[in-house]
Amino acid sequence: MTYRHAVCFPSATIEQAKKCAWAWKEKGYIPVIMLDWCHPQVGEMISEFHSVYSCPWEIFPGYYKVIGHVCKTALEYSNVDLCTAIGDDMLPSEQGAQIHADLYFKRFPRGEGVMQCTGDRQGDIINGKFASERICGSPTFGKEWARKAFGGKGPFGDYGFKSFYCDEMLKCVAEKLGLLYQEPALSIHHAHWSWGWMQKQPYHERAQKNWDHDRELFDKLKAEGFPGHELLTEIF
């Protein structure tokens, strides 16, 4: 079976958005992109990639609120079967969209779980694990996860994370529910500025200011067992 596999991401610059989108499109993914509010080049991007949106928030509310919105939009309106949520500084696995989707649906045939590719071996090794193994920094999920996760509040919940730690929370919750699949054979390369792949940008500086807020929120939620993490229960 051939799956329509979206890759979803927000971007602050047209150049980085195009570079990222083409890299994933060449591997068979369908880019779904959200540019900053009223970005003047939205029309130009639409002509190349079709599924391009302008951020509905004039003041950027943080990556996780936006990426949740982009992923739900893709799964509901772009006729796709699953999506992978990334940053615009991430590159696809060599195997491409179809093998990625095949592995996902082999494990989660209803689209109900979270898959994280863990082949990217970068960052500090903590407790014997690389960064890609400790978090869900580029998660793949289907429509059932997006619909039922966190009591129906979206694929990343609505705890209030801005730029950090939601990826670790997602890994913890999916694991807690028995719905986490880590795949070391696939590598989503993270060309992160802190690892020397690009210069630190002003939007990175702005995001960095959210670190303390997000870490305190994560520690609090973890201590409480991530309240509200349960899947939506439907009664017929």
Side-chain angles (χ1 to χ4, degrees):
M1 179 175 180
T2 300
Y3 297 104
R4 288 176 56 81
H5 190 163
V7 60
C8 304
F9 65 92
S11 187
T13 68
I14 196 79
E15 295 80 12
Q16 190 64 26
K18 283 187 175 184
K19 179 182 177 181
C20 180
W22 275 115
W24 287 82
K25 188 173 182 178
E26 287 172 358
K27 289 294 182 180
Y29 296 84
I30 301 167
V32 181
I33 309 157
M34 183 160 285
L35 298 175
D36 280 355
W37 185 75
C38 288
H39 196 292
Q41 291 173 289
V42 167
E44 177 186 335
M45 287 290 287
I46 289 174
S47 68
E48 290 189 52
F49 302 106
H50 304 297
S51 295
V52 182
Y53 304 93
S54 180
C55 184
W57 297 278
E58 183 174 357
I59 298 174
F60 190 72
Y63 172 80
Y64 285 105
K65 189 174 183 68
V66 173
I67 194 63
H69 178 76
V70 178
C71 290
K72 287 198 74 175
T73 298
L75 290 167
E76 290 177 8
Y77 302 111
S78 295
N79 189 31
V80 300
D81 301 299
L82 74 168
C83 69
T84 295
I86 65 165
D88 66 4
D89 56 355
M90 295 181 179
L91 297 172
S93 67
E94 285 299 316
Q95 292 91 333
Q98 187 61 39
I99 289 176
H100 190 164
D102 286 343
L103 288 170
Y104 175 84
F105 281 111
K106 184 177 180 181
R107 183 64 62 92
F108 302 118
R110 300 188 306 278
E112 72 276 21
V114 176
M115 173 183 179
Q116 176 61 46
C117 303
T118 60
D120 191 23
R121 296 301 195 239
Q122 296 189 92
D124 296 332
I125 300 175
I126 299 175
N127 295 326
K129 295 183 178 181
F130 287 95
S132 64
E133 299 171 301
R134 299 193 306 271
I135 63 175
C136 287
S138 48
T140 299
F141 46 83
K143 293 181 180 180
E144 280 296 281
W145 177 265
R147 187 170 68 88
K148 290 186 174 182
F150 302 99
K153 294 182 179 179
F156 299 92
D158 65 349
Y159 291 121
F161 290 101
K162 295 181 179 179
S163 306
F164 305 100
Y165 282 94
C166 189
D167 46 15
E168 188 168 352
M169 178 279 296
L170 182 62
K171 191 256 186 185
C172 291
V173 166
E175 195 167 35
K176 190 181 183 79
L177 293 169
L179 294 173
L180 175 67
Y181 165 33
Q182 294 178 300
E183 179 48 74
L186 301 186
S187 175
I188 294 176
H189 176 71
H190 195 178
H192 198 272
W193 66 266
S194 68
W195 294 330
W197 294 102
M198 65 186 299
Q199 288 188 327
K200 192 175 185 180
Q201 302 297 315
Y203 54 86
H204 294 139
E205 296 281 1
R206 291 193 295 271
Q208 202 69 35
K209 296 176 181 178
N210 296 323
W211 180 272
D212 289 342
H213 167 274
D214 289 349
R215 179 166 187 170
E216 290 172 9
L217 177 58
F218 173 80
D219 288 343
K220 178 177 181 293
L221 291 170
K222 185 176 181 181
E224 296 172 351
F226 301 106
H229 74 274
E230 298 85 1
L231 298 177
L232 177 69
T233 300
E234 296 174 321
I235 301 174
F236 297 98

